[in-house]
Amino acid sequence: MKLSPRLRQAITPLRTVMVVYLVVILVLMAFAPLLAPYDPISQNVAIRLQPMFSPGHLLGTDELGRDILSRIMFGAQVELFIALGATVLATVLGTLLGLLGAYFNGLTEVVTMRLIVDVILAFPPIVLALLAVTLYGPGPVTLIIAMGVLFAPIFARITYGQVLSTKREEYVDAARTFGAPTVVILFRTVLANVSAPIIVQFSLTMAAAILMESGLSYLGLGVVPPTPSWGSMVAAGQRYLTTDPHVLLVPGAVIVLTILAFGILGDALRDLLDPKAKKRS
């Protein structure tokens, strides 16, 4: 089968490997209850700190005798659920703010892009995330809402810049001339033609959300134990770095690879949806 030039540009060996890795992570997340060899919170101190490739424990066990592979698989559910929820929320909020601000200008632009977006951008994201978790307590819902609000300005800025140029196009003027409702123009004419960079940013924000959630869980402000989380696994494993490094290195490597995979996927989507972007950069 002959591939189009745009698809050939987007596909590279490294990108293919990363996409396969993401598919594996998604499968492990979706079928963790069926595929995990052990209960992720079941403790057995008699087999604590077993090394990798031990009988019955492919990735070894942690300081409480819990199977690391099972905790990685169930941790994927937590990480990707929170990251996906936060990214979807950020996409909806940010795209709506940018779309309204760029299309209507005037007071709407001041409220959306100055009073909301610029105010959020004025504070370091990690500080606002720590504040939200401290005030409302750790947990998936708090993390999703906090990170969704924090990442929304990125989508707002991207949408705002794209819509400013798109709304002057002839097909938008034609839609107004034929009496199309404003809602139809916004979401079926304008938004449909600026969706490519938003899709690319969605993948990149997934990586950022995983990194932030892992960081908060590492600090003890993310997912509440004993629910497995990659960040909390790294925090627990750092005490055994010199004696049993696999307890830290395995979840750390999974975090790094997952973030890298989503970042590379974003680059591939950029080349696939907007091949001129690579030349401009």
mmCIF file with all atom_site columns, all heavy atoms in Angstrom, residues 133-157:
data_model
loop_
_atom_site.group_PDB
_atom_site.id
_atom_site.type_symbol
_atom_site.label_atom_id
_atom_site.label_alt_id
_atom_site.label_comp_id
_atom_site.label_asym_id
_atom_site.label_entity_id
_atom_site.label_seq_id
_atom_site.pdbx_PDB_ins_code
_atom_site.Cartn_x
_atom_site.Cartn_y
_atom_site.Cartn_z
_atom_site.occupancy
_atom_site.B_iso_or_equiv
_atom_site.pdbx_formal_charge
_atom_site.auth_seq_id
_atom_site.auth_comp_id
_atom_site.auth_asym_id
_atom_site.auth_atom_id
_atom_site.pdbx_PDB_model_num
ATOM 1   N N   . VAL A 1 133 ? -4.801  21.563 45.919 1.00 0.00 ? 133 VAL A N   1
ATOM 2   C CA  . VAL A 1 133 ? -4.784  20.282 46.631 1.00 0.00 ? 133 VAL A CA  1
ATOM 3   C C   . VAL A 1 133 ? -4.780  20.504 48.135 1.00 0.00 ? 133 VAL A C   1
ATOM 4   O O   . VAL A 1 133 ? -5.416  19.765 48.897 1.00 0.00 ? 133 VAL A O   1
ATOM 5   C CB  . VAL A 1 133 ? -3.554  19.457 46.191 1.00 0.00 ? 133 VAL A CB  1
ATOM 6   C CG1 . VAL A 1 133 ? -3.412  18.215 47.055 1.00 0.00 ? 133 VAL A CG1 1
ATOM 7   C CG2 . VAL A 1 133 ? -3.677  19.058 44.732 1.00 0.00 ? 133 VAL A CG2 1
ATOM 8   N N   . THR A 1 134 ? -4.073  21.546 48.592 1.00 0.00 ? 134 THR A N   1
ATOM 9   C CA  . THR A 1 134 ? -4.034  21.842 50.023 1.00 0.00 ? 134 THR A CA  1
ATOM 10  C C   . THR A 1 134 ? -5.402  22.276 50.543 1.00 0.00 ? 134 THR A C   1
ATOM 11  O O   . THR A 1 134 ? -5.823  21.897 51.638 1.00 0.00 ? 134 THR A O   1
ATOM 12  C CB  . THR A 1 134 ? -2.994  22.934 50.313 1.00 0.00 ? 134 THR A CB  1
ATOM 13  O OG1 . THR A 1 134 ? -1.718  22.513 49.838 1.00 0.00 ? 134 THR A OG1 1
ATOM 14  C CG2 . THR A 1 134 ? -2.906  23.212 51.805 1.00 0.00 ? 134 THR A CG2 1
ATOM 15  N N   . LEU A 1 135 ? -6.120  23.071 49.742 1.00 0.00 ? 135 LEU A N   1
ATOM 16  C CA  . LEU A 1 135 ? -7.421  23.585 50.178 1.00 0.00 ? 135 LEU A CA  1
ATOM 17  C C   . LEU A 1 135 ? -8.515  22.527 50.112 1.00 0.00 ? 135 LEU A C   1
ATOM 18  O O   . LEU A 1 135 ? -9.349  22.433 51.023 1.00 0.00 ? 135 LEU A O   1
ATOM 19  C CB  . LEU A 1 135 ? -7.813  24.783 49.319 1.00 0.00 ? 135 LEU A CB  1
ATOM 20  C CG  . LEU A 1 135 ? -6.987  26.065 49.507 1.00 0.00 ? 135 LEU A CG  1
ATOM 21  C CD1 . LEU A 1 135 ? -7.435  27.132 48.526 1.00 0.00 ? 135 LEU A CD1 1
ATOM 22  C CD2 . LEU A 1 135 ? -7.110  26.585 50.937 1.00 0.00 ? 135 LEU A CD2 1
ATOM 23  N N   . TYR A 1 136 ? -8.519  21.729 49.053 1.00 0.00 ? 136 TYR A N   1
ATOM 24  C CA  . TYR A 1 136 ? -9.636  20.806 48.815 1.00 0.00 ? 136 TYR A CA  1
ATOM 25  C C   . TYR A 1 136 ? -9.273  19.338 49.034 1.00 0.00 ? 136 TYR A C   1
ATOM 26  O O   . TYR A 1 136 ? -10.120 18.467 48.883 1.00 0.00 ? 136 TYR A O   1
ATOM 27  C CB  . TYR A 1 136 ? -10.168 20.994 47.397 1.00 0.00 ? 136 TYR A CB  1
ATOM 28  C CG  . TYR A 1 136 ? -10.684 22.394 47.162 1.00 0.00 ? 136 TYR A CG  1
ATOM 29  C CD1 . TYR A 1 136 ? -9.939  23.308 46.427 1.00 0.00 ? 136 TYR A CD1 1
ATOM 30  C CD2 . TYR A 1 136 ? -11.891 22.818 47.692 1.00 0.00 ? 136 TYR A CD2 1
ATOM 31  C CE1 . TYR A 1 136 ? -10.393 24.606 46.211 1.00 0.00 ? 136 TYR A CE1 1
ATOM 32  C CE2 . TYR A 1 136 ? -12.356 24.108 47.489 1.00 0.00 ? 136 TYR A CE2 1
ATOM 33  C CZ  . TYR A 1 136 ? -11.598 24.991 46.744 1.00 0.00 ? 136 TYR A CZ  1
ATOM 34  O OH  . TYR A 1 136 ? -12.052 26.280 46.545 1.00 0.00 ? 136 TYR A OH  1
ATOM 35  N N   . GLY A 1 137 ? -8.017  19.072 49.365 1.00 0.00 ? 137 GLY A N   1
ATOM 36  C CA  . GLY A 1 137 ? -7.615  17.707 49.649 1.00 0.00 ? 137 GLY A CA  1
ATOM 37  C C   . GLY A 1 137 ? -7.208  16.963 48.396 1.00 0.00 ? 137 GLY A C   1
ATOM 38  O O   . GLY A 1 137 ? -7.713  17.236 47.301 1.00 0.00 ? 137 GLY A O   1
ATOM 39  N N   . PRO A 1 138 ? -6.291  15.992 48.528 1.00 0.00 ? 138 PRO A N   1
ATOM 40  C CA  . PRO A 1 138 ? -5.855  15.215 47.362 1.00 0.00 ? 138 PRO A CA  1
ATOM 41  C C   . PRO A 1 138 ? -6.947  14.275 46.889 1.00 0.00 ? 138 PRO A C   1
ATOM 42  O O   . PRO A 1 138 ? -7.850  13.905 47.630 1.00 0.00 ? 138 PRO A O   1
ATOM 43  C CB  . PRO A 1 138 ? -4.648  14.443 47.897 1.00 0.00 ? 138 PRO A CB  1
ATOM 44  C CG  . PRO A 1 138 ? -4.902  14.322 49.364 1.00 0.00 ? 138 PRO A CG  1
ATOM 45  C CD  . PRO A 1 138 ? -5.621  15.569 49.773 1.00 0.00 ? 138 PRO A CD  1
ATOM 46  N N   . GLY A 1 139 ? -6.851  13.903 45.636 1.00 0.00 ? 139 GLY A N   1
ATOM 47  C CA  . GLY A 1 139 ? -7.828  12.992 45.048 1.00 0.00 ? 139 GLY A CA  1
ATOM 48  C C   . GLY A 1 139 ? -7.962  13.246 43.562 1.00 0.00 ? 139 GLY A C   1
ATOM 49  O O   . GLY A 1 139 ? -7.586  14.312 43.058 1.00 0.00 ? 139 GLY A O   1
ATOM 50  N N   . PRO A 1 140 ? -8.482  12.283 42.808 1.00 0.00 ? 140 PRO A N   1
ATOM 51  C CA  . PRO A 1 140 ? -8.587  12.428 41.354 1.00 0.00 ? 140 PRO A CA  1
ATOM 52  C C   . PRO A 1 140 ? -9.414  13.635 40.919 1.00 0.00 ? 140 PRO A C   1
ATOM 53  O O   . PRO A 1 140 ? -9.034  14.341 39.984 1.00 0.00 ? 140 PRO A O   1
ATOM 54  C CB  . PRO A 1 140 ? -9.248  11.108 40.921 1.00 0.00 ? 140 PRO A CB  1
ATOM 55  C CG  . PRO A 1 140 ? -8.926  10.141 42.008 1.00 0.00 ? 140 PRO A CG  1
ATOM 56  C CD  . PRO A 1 140 ? -8.897  10.934 43.275 1.00 0.00 ? 140 PRO A CD  1
ATOM 57  N N   . VAL A 1 141 ? -10.552 13.879 41.573 1.00 0.00 ? 141 VAL A N   1
ATOM 58  C CA  . VAL A 1 141 ? -11.416 14.986 41.155 1.00 0.00 ? 141 VAL A CA  1
ATOM 59  C C   . VAL A 1 141 ? -10.705 16.323 41.323 1.00 0.00 ? 141 VAL A C   1
ATOM 60  O O   . VAL A 1 141 ? -10.730 17.187 40.435 1.00 0.00 ? 141 VAL A O   1
ATOM 61  C CB  . VAL A 1 141 ? -12.739 14.966 41.942 1.00 0.00 ? 141 VAL A CB  1
ATOM 62  C CG1 . VAL A 1 141 ? -13.596 16.179 41.570 1.00 0.00 ? 141 VAL A CG1 1
ATOM 63  C CG2 . VAL A 1 141 ? -13.505 13.680 41.669 1.00 0.00 ? 141 VAL A CG2 1
ATOM 64  N N   . THR A 1 142 ? -10.059 16.507 42.465 1.00 0.00 ? 142 THR A N   1
ATOM 65  C CA  . THR A 1 142 ? -9.324  17.751 42.703 1.00 0.00 ? 142 THR A CA  1
ATOM 66  C C   . THR A 1 142 ? -8.220  17.942 41.678 1.00 0.00 ? 142 THR A C   1
ATOM 67  O O   . THR A 1 142 ? -8.029  19.048 41.146 1.00 0.00 ? 142 THR A O   1
ATOM 68  C CB  . THR A 1 142 ? -8.713  17.741 44.117 1.00 0.00 ? 142 THR A CB  1
ATOM 69  O OG1 . THR A 1 142 ? -9.747  17.572 45.079 1.00 0.00 ? 142 THR A OG1 1
ATOM 70  C CG2 . THR A 1 142 ? -7.990  19.050 44.392 1.00 0.00 ? 142 THR A CG2 1
ATOM 71  N N   . LEU A 1 143 ? -7.494  16.883 41.376 1.00 0.00 ? 143 LEU A N   1
ATOM 72  C CA  . LEU A 1 143 ? -6.397  16.976 40.414 1.00 0.00 ? 143 LEU A CA  1
ATOM 73  C C   . LEU A 1 143 ? -6.913  17.300 39.017 1.00 0.00 ? 143 LEU A C   1
ATOM 74  O O   . LEU A 1 143 ? -6.327  18.118 38.300 1.00 0.00 ? 143 LEU A O   1
ATOM 75  C CB  . LEU A 1 143 ? -5.602  15.677 40.396 1.00 0.00 ? 143 LEU A CB  1
ATOM 76  C CG  . LEU A 1 143 ? -4.798  15.351 41.657 1.00 0.00 ? 143 LEU A CG  1
ATOM 77  C CD1 . LEU A 1 143 ? -4.161  13.978 41.533 1.00 0.00 ? 143 LEU A CD1 1
ATOM 78  C CD2 . LEU A 1 143 ? -3.731  16.408 41.910 1.00 0.00 ? 143 LEU A CD2 1
ATOM 79  N N   . ILE A 1 144 ? -7.993  16.664 38.613 1.00 0.00 ? 144 ILE A N   1
ATOM 80  C CA  . ILE A 1 144 ? -8.534  16.901 37.275 1.00 0.00 ? 144 ILE A CA  1
ATOM 81  C C   . ILE A 1 144 ? -8.974  18.356 37.121 1.00 0.00 ? 144 ILE A C   1
ATOM 82  O O   . ILE A 1 144 ? -8.655  19.017 36.125 1.00 0.00 ? 144 ILE A O   1
ATOM 83  C CB  . ILE A 1 144 ? -9.703  15.940 36.997 1.00 0.00 ? 144 ILE A CB  1
ATOM 84  C CG1 . ILE A 1 144 ? -9.181  14.517 36.804 1.00 0.00 ? 144 ILE A CG1 1
ATOM 85  C CG2 . ILE A 1 144 ? -10.486 16.379 35.755 1.00 0.00 ? 144 ILE A CG2 1
ATOM 86  C CD1 . ILE A 1 144 ? -10.266 13.479 36.687 1.00 0.00 ? 144 ILE A CD1 1
ATOM 87  N N   . ILE A 1 145 ? -9.713  18.863 38.112 1.00 0.00 ? 145 ILE A N   1
ATOM 88  C CA  . ILE A 1 145 ? -10.203 20.237 38.022 1.00 0.00 ? 145 ILE A CA  1
ATOM 89  C C   . ILE A 1 145 ? -9.045  21.232 38.076 1.00 0.00 ? 145 ILE A C   1
ATOM 90  O O   . ILE A 1 145 ? -8.978  22.180 37.281 1.00 0.00 ? 145 ILE A O   1
ATOM 91  C CB  . ILE A 1 145 ? -11.212 20.516 39.152 1.00 0.00 ? 145 ILE A CB  1
ATOM 92  C CG1 . ILE A 1 145 ? -12.459 19.652 38.968 1.00 0.00 ? 145 ILE A CG1 1
ATOM 93  C CG2 . ILE A 1 145 ? -11.592 21.999 39.182 1.00 0.00 ? 145 ILE A CG2 1
ATOM 94  C CD1 . ILE A 1 145 ? -13.465 19.783 40.089 1.00 0.00 ? 145 ILE A CD1 1
ATOM 95  N N   . ALA A 1 146 ? -8.121  21.019 39.008 1.00 0.00 ? 146 ALA A N   1
ATOM 96  C CA  . ALA A 1 146 ? -7.005  21.953 39.159 1.00 0.00 ? 146 ALA A CA  1
ATOM 97  C C   . ALA A 1 146 ? -6.138  21.988 37.904 1.00 0.00 ? 146 ALA A C   1
ATOM 98  O O   . ALA A 1 146 ? -5.834  23.071 37.371 1.00 0.00 ? 146 ALA A O   1
ATOM 99  C CB  . ALA A 1 146 ? -6.162  21.560 40.374 1.00 0.00 ? 146 ALA A CB  1
ATOM 100 N N   . MET A 1 147 ? -5.747  20.829 37.395 1.00 0.00 ? 147 MET A N   1
ATOM 101 C CA  . MET A 1 147 ? -4.897  20.805 36.210 1.00 0.00 ? 147 MET A CA  1
ATOM 102 C C   . MET A 1 147 ? -5.655  21.236 34.967 1.00 0.00 ? 147 MET A C   1
ATOM 103 O O   . MET A 1 147 ? -5.085  21.853 34.063 1.00 0.00 ? 147 MET A O   1
ATOM 104 C CB  . MET A 1 147 ? -4.304  19.401 36.028 1.00 0.00 ? 147 MET A CB  1
ATOM 105 C CG  . MET A 1 147 ? -3.300  19.028 37.105 1.00 0.00 ? 147 MET A CG  1
ATOM 106 S SD  . MET A 1 147 ? -2.306  17.559 36.695 1.00 0.00 ? 147 MET A SD  1
ATOM 107 C CE  . MET A 1 147 ? -3.569  16.299 36.643 1.00 0.00 ? 147 MET A CE  1
ATOM 108 N N   . GLY A 1 148 ? -6.951  20.927 34.904 1.00 0.00 ? 148 GLY A N   1
ATOM 109 C CA  . GLY A 1 148 ? -7.741  21.378 33.764 1.00 0.00 ? 148 GLY A CA  1
ATOM 110 C C   . GLY A 1 148 ? -7.769  22.896 33.660 1.00 0.00 ? 148 GLY A C   1
ATOM 111 O O   . GLY A 1 148 ? -7.618  23.473 32.573 1.00 0.00 ? 148 GLY A O   1
ATOM 112 N N   . VAL A 1 149 ? -7.939  23.567 34.793 1.00 0.00 ? 149 VAL A N   1
ATOM 113 C CA  . VAL A 1 149 ? -7.935  25.034 34.808 1.00 0.00 ? 149 VAL A CA  1
ATOM 114 C C   . VAL A 1 149 ? -6.545  25.573 34.483 1.00 0.00 ? 149 VAL A C   1
ATOM 115 O O   . VAL A 1 149 ? -6.398  26.562 33.751 1.00 0.00 ? 149 VAL A O   1
ATOM 116 C CB  . VAL A 1 149 ? -8.420  25.551 36.175 1.00 0.00 ? 149 VAL A CB  1
ATOM 117 C CG1 . VAL A 1 149 ? -8.242  27.064 36.287 1.00 0.00 ? 149 VAL A CG1 1
ATOM 118 C CG2 . VAL A 1 149 ? -9.885  25.180 36.398 1.00 0.00 ? 149 VAL A CG2 1
ATOM 119 N N   . LEU A 1 150 ? -5.509  24.928 35.007 1.00 0.00 ? 150 LEU A N   1
ATOM 120 C CA  . LEU A 1 150 ? -4.148  25.413 34.797 1.00 0.00 ? 150 LEU A CA  1
ATOM 121 C C   . LEU A 1 150 ? -3.694  25.281 33.346 1.00 0.00 ? 150 LEU A C   1
ATOM 122 O O   . LEU A 1 150 ? -2.957  26.139 32.839 1.00 0.00 ? 150 LEU A O   1
ATOM 123 C CB  . LEU A 1 150 ? -3.189  24.642 35.707 1.00 0.00 ? 150 LEU A CB  1
ATOM 124 C CG  . LEU A 1 150 ? -3.315  24.923 37.203 1.00 0.00 ? 150 LEU A CG  1
ATOM 125 C CD1 . LEU A 1 150 ? -2.396  24.013 37.995 1.00 0.00 ? 150 LEU A CD1 1
ATOM 126 C CD2 . LEU A 1 150 ? -3.003  26.371 37.502 1.00 0.00 ? 150 LEU A CD2 1
ATOM 127 N N   . PHE A 1 151 ? -4.116  24.217 32.666 1.00 0.00 ? 151 PHE A N   1
ATOM 128 C CA  . PHE A 1 151 ? -3.693  24.012 31.281 1.00 0.00 ? 151 PHE A CA  1
ATOM 129 C C   . PHE A 1 151 ? -4.614  24.686 30.264 1.00 0.00 ? 151 PHE A C   1
ATOM 130 O O   . PHE A 1 151 ? -4.276  24.748 29.084 1.00 0.00 ? 151 PHE A O   1
ATOM 131 C CB  . PHE A 1 151 ? -3.612  22.516 30.979 1.00 0.00 ? 151 PHE A CB  1
ATOM 132 C CG  . PHE A 1 151 ? -2.509  21.807 31.706 1.00 0.00 ? 151 PHE A CG  1
ATOM 133 C CD1 . PHE A 1 151 ? -2.739  20.645 32.420 1.00 0.00 ? 151 PHE A CD1 1
ATOM 134 C CD2 . PHE A 1 151 ? -1.215  22.305 31.677 1.00 0.00 ? 151 PHE A CD2 1
ATOM 135 C CE1 . PHE A 1 151 ? -1.724  19.990 33.090 1.00 0.00 ? 151 PHE A CE1 1
ATOM 136 C CE2 . PHE A 1 151 ? -0.184  21.660 32.341 1.00 0.00 ? 151 PHE A CE2 1
ATOM 137 C CZ  . PHE A 1 151 ? -0.445  20.500 33.060 1.00 0.00 ? 151 PHE A CZ  1
ATOM 138 N N   . ALA A 1 152 ? -5.761  25.172 30.706 1.00 0.00 ? 152 ALA A N   1
ATOM 139 C CA  . ALA A 1 152 ? -6.703  25.802 29.778 1.00 0.00 ? 152 ALA A CA  1
ATOM 140 C C   . ALA A 1 152 ? -6.124  27.013 29.049 1.00 0.00 ? 152 ALA A C   1
ATOM 141 O O   . ALA A 1 152 ? -6.397  27.206 27.859 1.00 0.00 ? 152 ALA A O   1
ATOM 142 C CB  . ALA A 1 152 ? -7.989  26.181 30.522 1.00 0.00 ? 152 ALA A CB  1
ATOM 143 N N   . PRO A 1 153 ? -5.334  27.890 29.720 1.00 0.00 ? 153 PRO A N   1
ATOM 144 C CA  . PRO A 1 153 ? -4.796  29.053 28.991 1.00 0.00 ? 153 PRO A CA  1
ATOM 145 C C   . PRO A 1 153 ? -3.961  28.702 27.776 1.00 0.00 ? 153 PRO A C   1
ATOM 146 O O   . PRO A 1 153 ? -3.900  29.486 26.817 1.00 0.00 ? 153 PRO A O   1
ATOM 147 C CB  . PRO A 1 153 ? -3.955  29.753 30.066 1.00 0.00 ? 153 PRO A CB  1
ATOM 148 C CG  . PRO A 1 153 ? -4.588  29.387 31.353 1.00 0.00 ? 153 PRO A CG  1
ATOM 149 C CD  . PRO A 1 153 ? -5.048  27.971 31.159 1.00 0.00 ? 153 PRO A CD  1
ATOM 150 N N   . ILE A 1 154 ? -3.287  27.556 27.789 1.00 0.00 ? 154 ILE A N   1
ATOM 151 C CA  . ILE A 1 154 ? -2.492  27.163 26.617 1.00 0.00 ? 154 ILE A CA  1
ATOM 152 C C   . ILE A 1 154 ? -3.400  26.993 25.404 1.00 0.00 ? 154 ILE A C   1
ATOM 153 O O   . ILE A 1 154 ? -3.117  27.493 24.312 1.00 0.00 ? 154 ILE A O   1
ATOM 154 C CB  . ILE A 1 154 ? -1.726  25.865 26.911 1.00 0.00 ? 154 ILE A CB  1
ATOM 155 C CG1 . ILE A 1 154 ? -0.832  26.023 28.143 1.00 0.00 ? 154 ILE A CG1 1
ATOM 156 C CG2 . ILE A 1 154 ? -0.908  25.430 25.693 1.00 0.00 ? 154 ILE A CG2 1
ATOM 157 C CD1 . ILE A 1 154 ? -0.150  24.751 28.570 1.00 0.00 ? 154 ILE A CD1 1
ATOM 158 N N   . PHE A 1 155 ? -4.504  26.279 25.596 1.00 0.00 ? 155 PHE A N   1
ATOM 159 C CA  . PHE A 1 155 ? -5.455  26.084 24.501 1.00 0.00 ? 155 PHE A CA  1
ATOM 160 C C   . PHE A 1 155 ? -6.116  27.407 24.113 1.00 0.00 ? 155 PHE A C   1
ATOM 161 O O   . PHE A 1 155 ? -6.404  27.640 22.932 1.00 0.00 ? 155 PHE A O   1
ATOM 162 C CB  . PHE A 1 155 ? -6.516  25.055 24.898 1.00 0.00 ? 155 PHE A CB  1
ATOM 163 C CG  . PHE A 1 155 ? -5.998  23.654 25.010 1.00 0.00 ? 155 PHE A CG  1
ATOM 164 C CD1 . PHE A 1 155 ? -5.546  23.157 26.224 1.00 0.00 ? 155 PHE A CD1 1
ATOM 165 C CD2 . PHE A 1 155 ? -5.945  22.824 23.904 1.00 0.00 ? 155 PHE A CD2 1
ATOM 166 C CE1 . PHE A 1 155 ? -5.059  21.863 26.329 1.00 0.00 ? 155 PHE A CE1 1
ATOM 167 C CE2 . PHE A 1 155 ? -5.459  21.532 23.994 1.00 0.00 ? 155 PHE A CE2 1
ATOM 168 C CZ  . PHE A 1 155 ? -5.014  21.058 25.216 1.00 0.00 ? 155 PHE A CZ  1
ATOM 169 N N   . ALA A 1 156 ? -6.365  28.267 25.101 1.00 0.00 ? 156 ALA A N   1
ATOM 170 C CA  . ALA A 1 156 ? -6.979  29.557 24.808 1.00 0.00 ? 156 ALA A CA  1
ATOM 171 C C   . ALA A 1 156 ? -6.077  30.402 23.916 1.00 0.00 ? 156 ALA A C   1
ATOM 172 O O   . ALA A 1 156 ? -6.546  31.018 22.948 1.00 0.00 ? 156 ALA A O   1
ATOM 173 C CB  . ALA A 1 156 ? -7.295  30.300 26.107 1.00 0.00 ? 156 ALA A CB  1
ATOM 174 N N   . ARG A 1 157 ? -4.791  30.432 24.224 1.00 0.00 ? 157 ARG A N   1
ATOM 175 C CA  . ARG A 1 157 ? -3.852  31.215 23.415 1.00 0.00 ? 157 ARG A CA  1
ATOM 176 C C   . ARG A 1 157 ? -3.759  30.671 21.990 1.00 0.00 ? 157 ARG A C   1
ATOM 177 O O   . ARG A 1 157 ? -3.728  31.436 21.012 1.00 0.00 ? 157 ARG A O   1
ATOM 178 C CB  . ARG A 1 157 ? -2.474  31.194 24.078 1.00 0.00 ? 157 ARG A CB  1
ATOM 179 C CG  . ARG A 1 157 ? -2.362  32.064 25.331 1.00 0.00 ? 157 ARG A CG  1
ATOM 180 C CD  . ARG A 1 157 ? -2.329  33.533 24.956 1.00 0.00 ? 157 ARG A CD  1
ATOM 181 N NE  . ARG A 1 157 ? -2.141  34.395 26.093 1.00 0.00 ? 157 ARG A NE  1
ATOM 182 C CZ  . ARG A 1 157 ? -0.954  34.765 26.587 1.00 0.00 ? 157 ARG A CZ  1
ATOM 183 N NH1 . ARG A 1 157 ? 0.150   34.284 26.048 1.00 0.00 ? 157 ARG A NH1 1
ATOM 184 N NH2 . ARG A 1 157 ? -0.881  35.593 27.596 1.00 0.00 ? 157 ARG A NH2 1
#
